[in-house]
Amino acid sequence: MRSKKRNRKYFILLLIPLVVGLLAFRHALFPVQGKPVVDKDSLTSPSYVQTLIRYQRYYPFIRYDRNYIEWSDFSAIQSFFTKISQTPNRKLKILHIGDSHLQSDFPTGYIRERMQELFGYGGRGLVFPYKAAGTHPAYDYRTFCNGNWDYTRNIQREAVLDMGVIGATIRTSDSTAGFKIVFREGFIRPGFTVIKLFCKQDSLSYDIRLKTGGSSSPILLSCNNYASKKAYIEIKLSKPSDTLEFIINKTEKKQNFFECYGIQVESNEDKGVLYNSIGINGAGYKSILKQRLFGKQLPSVDPDLVVIDLGANDFYAGGFNAADLEKDLSAIIDTIKRACPAACIIVSNSQDIFYKRRRSIPQCKDFMELTKRVAMAKKCAFYDYYDVAGGSNSMTLWCKAGLGRNDKIHLSAPGYYVRGELLLNAMLNSYRLSLARFRNDSLDAQKYIIDTTSLKKYFVDEINIKQEKNEKEPKAVYNEPEQETESGDKIYYTIRSGDNLGSIAEKYGTTVSNLQYWNGLRGTKIVAGETIVIYKKGAGADKLQNKTTVEQKQYVKPKQDAIVPNTVQSSRKGNYKVTSGDSLWSIAKKYGTTVEAIKKANKLSSDKLSIGQTLIIP
C-alpha cells in the first residue's frame, strides 16, 4: 500500500512540470493583446476576440464607430454566437444570400477566407456550373460545359425549371453533355474531400460519371434514388481535387434528362467554418420567392446563420412599394424559419446607390428603415450597412477613394473587400460585446458607439484619428489615393483620364488579357478614377501570359495581412520633408526601410511627426 502511494506521489511530481510546459506552449501559440484574462486564448474571451478585429485602412466617410450587428431580442443571435465558440469541435455553417454584389463573391470571399483563417477551414461551400446557365461564376473558380443545356435563373420573368437554394438550375436531355468546375490554385484546401451534388433524383434521370483531377478512373453516381430524403448525392473523395468534371452517363434506355441545382464542397471534418455565398445578378426579394425548392433544400444546407443581403433591385428602377417589400421580406424570413428553425437570421440592406449615375436614390434610406423594422418585428438580427457605409450621397466618396465603380452602384475589387471587412468586423464587435455579458434585450448601434479614441488599434495601416469637442463622428487625416500603390506582389493603379488598357499593360510589362483577367473585365473599357490591380513581374504574373492555359488566374484578393499603403515604394534614399498625412510607417514603406531604422537614424523617441520636419532616410 505504501509503495502505491509513493508511486502516485512521484507521478504527480513528474506531471506538474509537464502541465506547466504545455500551458506555456499554449500561451506561445496564442498570444493575446491587452490585459491578461481567464482563458485568454479562448474564443469565449472578449479580450481575445477584440484582437481579431482589424481593418486594412481608414476611410473618414465610413462610420466604423457604429459597426455592429443589432438586435431587439438577444435570442435572435444568441445561438450563432454560441456556435462561434464551438468551431474547434463543430462546423459553423453560414448561408449568405445576395445579388450582383455577391455573384462574383468578392465581399463574401473575403469573409470566408478571413473566418477560416481564424476559426478553421470547413469547406469551399456552394458552387454552380454558371457557364451552362449563361452567366459568370465566382472569382475563385471557372466553369465549362459541353452539349445542350436549358437553364433558369431567378431573375427571369417565367421560371421554366424549379430552383433551389442557389437560385439557378440547369437541365439537359443530351446524353453526351457535361460540365466542369475548375478551382483556381490555392482555394481547395487539404481535407476538402466531401462533394454534394444537388440534383433531381428520379427514375428517369441520367446517371453521372465524376472525374477528378489526378484520378485515372471516374466515380459512378446513381441519380435514380427518388425515394431519398436528401436533396443531394454525397461523394467522399480519397484526396481533394481542384477539378470536378460531371459527365452524363446513360445507363438505362428510359433515362432522358438530368437536372442540377448546384454543388457543395466541404471538409471531411466537423469543425471550422463553411461559408456559402449565393448571388444572382439582378436578384431581389421577389427572385428568392420564385425558388420553389428553396425551403426544401435549405435543411440539407443546414445553416446556423442566414444573411439576407439583397432587395435594392426591387425598387432601383421603379417606385418604392413599402407594403410589397415588407411582405416579400417577411415571406422569405418565414420560409427560412420553417425550414431551419434553429438558424439565426441577419437582415442587411443596400448602401447608397445612384440611378443612372446622376442622383443618389433617396429610397435607400427608406429601405434601411423598412428592413430594420421587419427584422426587429420578426426577431431577426439586423446590420445597418447603409448607415455604416456613410448614408446618403456617400457613394460619391467611395468612388473618389477608388472603392466604387463608375455606375455608382457596384464597387471595385478593393471596395468589395472593404464591404466584406465591415460585415465580418460587425459580427466580431457584437460577439465580443455578448461575451462581455452585454446581454441587454436590445443592441442599437446608434446608442452604443465605439469610443473614437479606441478605434486606432483596429487598423493595420497607421492613421491619425482626432476627435474635436462635442463631435461624435471620428475625424482623420485622409489623403486621396495616389495613382499607384503597392501591396506585396500586387500594384493598385488608379486610372487617369487618357489611360487605356494597352498603355497600362505596356507601362507594367504585361498584356491586356492579363489586366482583364485580374480585374474581371469583359471588354477594354475603363473609367478614370477606378482602381485596377496589376501583378508584378516574377510574382506569378509571367505564368499568366498564355491565355489558353487552363490554370490561368483571375484577379486574386490580397491576403488579410497585406497592407495597402498610401504611397509608392521607392529605392531613393537621403532626406525627406514630412507633409500632411505622412506617418513613419508610410515613409518607411515608400523608401523600402523600417520605422525602427528611421527612428534610429533621426534619434526619435516617438512616432510623432511634424509637417515640414526633415528626416534622414537610412
Side-chain angles (χ1 to χ4, degrees):
M1 181 66 70
R2 289 181 180 178
S3 177
K4 288 183 178 181
K5 287 183 178 180
R6 189 182 302 110
N7 290 339
R8 190 181 298 116
K9 179 180 179 181
Y10 290 149
F11 176 76
I12 293 172
L13 291 173
L14 288 171
L15 189 62
I16 290 173
L18 177 62
V19 172
V20 172
L22 288 173
L23 290 174
F25 180 66
R26 184 183 72 169
H27 176 70
L29 286 178
F30 300 97
V32 180
Q33 300 174 6
K35 296 179 180 180
V37 294
V38 178
D39 296 327
K40 53 193 171 186
D41 59 347
S42 169
L43 290 175
T44 59
S45 165
S47 297
Y48 177 73
V49 173
Q50 183 167 303
T51 67
L52 308 181
I53 302 167
R54 63 183 185 184
Y55 299 93
Q56 288 290 339
R57 185 171 172 182
Y58 180 80
Y59 297 94
F61 46 85
I62 293 177
R63 294 163 178 165
Y64 299 98
D65 56 345
R66 305 177 188 179
N67 195 31
Y68 292 98
I69 302 298
E70 305 176 50
W71 58 79
S72 61
D73 188 321
F74 184 60
S75 63
I77 199 70
Q78 184 175 10
S79 67
F80 171 63
F81 285 165
T82 299
K83 290 168 184 175
I84 288 178
S85 65
Q86 298 171 352
T87 51
N89 303 303
R90 179 192 178 280
K91 191 174 290 185
L92 179 68
K93 301 175 183 178
I94 299 173
L95 177 66
H96 195 142
I97 305 169
D99 46 28
S100 58
H101 298 292
L102 266 62
Q103 184 166 331
S104 290
D105 194 40
F106 282 129
T108 42
Y110 169 86
I111 300 173
R112 179 187 303 111
E113 291 181 26
R114 178 63 177 148
M115 288 193 78
Q116 290 184 343
E117 286 174 2
L118 297 176
F119 308 126
Y121 295 87
R124 166 53 181 84
L126 290 166
V127 295
F128 190 79
Y130 283 104
K131 182 71 173 180
T135 185
H136 66 87
Y139 71 93
D140 62 337
Y141 68 94
R142 290 174 298 143
T143 63
F144 307 85
C145 69
N146 63 279
N148 299 313
W149 291 91
D150 296 318
Y151 66 84
T152 293
R153 301 200 303 269
N154 62 14
I155 59 168
Q156 295 169 321
R157 182 170 295 181
E158 298 296 331
V160 178
L161 304 172
D162 287 342
M163 292 173 288
V165 170
I166 287 181
T169 299
I170 58 171
R171 180 187 175 103
T172 187
S173 297
D174 184 351
S175 61
T176 66
F179 63 84
K180 181 165 61 174
I181 296 175
V182 180
F183 293 93
R184 301 186 187 278
E185 184 180 354
F187 289 98
I188 294 300
R189 300 266 177 178
F192 286 14
T193 56
V194 178
I195 311 298
K196 295 178 179 178
L197 172 63
F198 285 76
C199 64
K200 188 169 185 177
Q201 300 183 58
D202 190 279
S203 61
L204 300 180
S205 173
Y206 294 130
D207 291 327
I208 291 292
R209 287 183 294 137
L210 171 61
K211 294 178 66 176
T212 60
S215 177
S216 57
S217 57
I219 301 170
L220 303 180
L221 308 177
S222 173
C223 304
N224 308 137
N225 188 11
Y226 52 89
S228 174
K229 294 182 180 180
K230 292 184 177 180
Y232 58 82
I233 299 168
E234 184 172 321
I235 310 104
K236 294 183 178 179
L237 305 179
S238 59
K239 60 181 180 180
S241 174
D242 58 6
T243 301
L244 303 173
E245 185 174 5
F246 296 83
I247 305 167
I248 298 299
N249 185 30
K250 185 173 182 176
T251 57
E252 294 184 34
K253 187 175 181 179
K254 65 179 180 178
Q255 294 175 353
N256 58 22
F257 81 96
F258 173 73
E259 191 167 293
C260 177
Y261 311 115
I263 298 97
Q264 189 173 47
V265 180
E266 289 194 41
S267 66
N268 56 9
E269 294 183 299
D270 187 21
K271 62 181 181 180
V273 174
L274 180 65
Y275 202 105
N276 295 290
S277 168
I278 54 175
I280 300 293
N281 296 339
Y285 289 159
K286 292 187 182 299
S287 306
I288 306 301
L289 296 174
K290 293 178 185 176
Q291 299 168 209
R292 290 191 291 266
L293 300 179
F294 181 83
K296 292 182 179 180
Q297 290 185 3
L298 202 56
S300 295
V301 178
D302 191 26
D304 298 305
L305 173 70
V306 179
V307 182
I308 303 174
D309 190 9
L310 74 173
N313 285 307
D314 289 310
F315 66 86
Y316 169 73
F320 183 87
N321 191 319
D324 278 358
L325 285 167
E326 187 166 339
K327 178 182 176 183
D328 292 343
L329 177 55
S330 297
I332 294 170
I333 292 171
D334 290 342
T335 300
I336 295 169
K337 289 195 170 188
R338 282 195 301 269
C340 300
C344 294
I345 299 173
I346 295 176
V347 178
S348 188
N349 47 48
S350 171
Q351 72 184 98
D352 175 56
I353 57 177
F354 278 55
Y355 181 67
K356 293 184 177 180
R357 296 182 292 179
R358 292 196 298 267
R359 58 181 175 82
S360 176
I361 299 177
Q363 288 82 8
C364 287
K365 183 177 181 181
D366 299 330
F367 182 58
M368 176 272 289
E369 293 171 347
L370 182 147
T371 50
K372 183 171 186 176
R373 183 170 65 252
V374 174
M376 299 306 177
K378 289 286 185 178
K379 292 188 177 180
C380 299
F382 175 68
Y383 181 51
D384 195 350
Y385 178 58
Y386 172 81
D387 184 60
V388 171
S392 179
N393 288 299
S394 60
M395 180 55 77
T396 300
L397 302 175
W398 280 67
C399 291
K400 286 182 178 180
L403 303 180
R405 292 201 176 275
N406 193 49
D407 62 7
K408 294 187 177 179
I409 299 171
H410 299 94
L411 303 179
S412 64
Y416 278 126
Y417 305 148
V418 170
R419 176 172 174 165
E421 185 180 66
L422 287 170
L423 176 56
L424 173 58
N425 286 328
M427 292 181 188
L428 293 174
N429 272 327
S430 293
Y431 176 51
R432 178 183 62 83
L433 285 183
S434 73
L435 293 175
R437 306 196 180 280
F438 188 86
R439 295 285 202 276
N440 291 0
D441 289 339
S442 64
L443 190 156
D444 189 332
Q446 298 281 357
K447 298 177 180 178
Y448 197 84
I449 295 178
I450 300 173
D451 178 12
T452 306
T453 57
S454 70
L455 276 173
K456 185 175 181 179
K457 64 175 174 286
Y458 297 123
F459 290 84
V460 174
D461 199 358
E462 288 191 7
I463 57 170
N464 296 313
I465 301 178
K466 298 179 180 179
Q467 185 178 26
E468 297 180 7
K469 293 181 179 179
N470 302 321
E471 286 193 346
K472 295 182 180 179
E473 294 292 325
K475 302 295 181 180
V477 175
Y478 174 73
N479 296 323
E480 291 293 335
E482 299 283 346
Q483 187 180 17
E484 178 187 299
T485 61
E486 296 187 23
S487 174
D489 59 358
K490 306 170 197 70
I491 297 170
Y492 294 90
Y493 181 83
T494 302
I495 299 164
R496 288 181 176 175
S497 179
D499 280 340
N500 59 63
L501 287 182
S503 64
I504 298 171
E506 183 178 359
K507 177 179 179 180
Y508 290 97
T510 184
T511 65
V512 170
S513 60
N514 279 344
L515 294 177
Q516 290 172 318
Y517 264 99
W518 293 331
N519 295 278
L521 301 175
R522 295 186 179 182
T524 58
K525 184 179 179 180
I526 55 177
V527 179
E530 292 190 352
T531 301
I532 61 173
V533 70
I534 303 163
Y535 278 80
K536 298 177 186 177
K537 281 281 187 180
D542 52 331
K543 299 178 183 179
L544 305 180
Q545 299 298 324
N546 184 359
K547 189 176 180 179
T548 61
T549 303
V550 174
E551 297 301 327
Q552 190 171 33
K553 290 188 177 182
Q554 194 182 12
Y555 173 56
V556 180
K557 301 193 294 300
K559 293 181 180 179
Q560 172 65 17
D561 58 357
I563 299 172
V564 183
N566 293 332
T567 53
V568 186
Q569 287 187 357
S570 171
S571 60
R572 292 176 299 163
K573 303 196 176 181
N575 294 334
Y576 179 81
K577 184 173 286 188
V578 177
T579 61
S580 177
D582 278 338
S583 67
L584 285 177
W585 183 90
S586 65
I587 297 169
K589 292 295 289 183
K590 180 175 182 178
Y591 291 102
T593 183
T594 65
V595 171
E596 290 73 18
I598 295 176
K599 290 175 71 174
K600 184 177 180 180
N602 293 274
K603 299 180 180 179
L604 301 177
S605 59
S606 72
D607 294 347
K608 187 176 180 180
L609 298 176
S610 302
I611 296 175
Q613 178 181 358
T614 299
L615 296 176
I616 299 171
I617 307 300

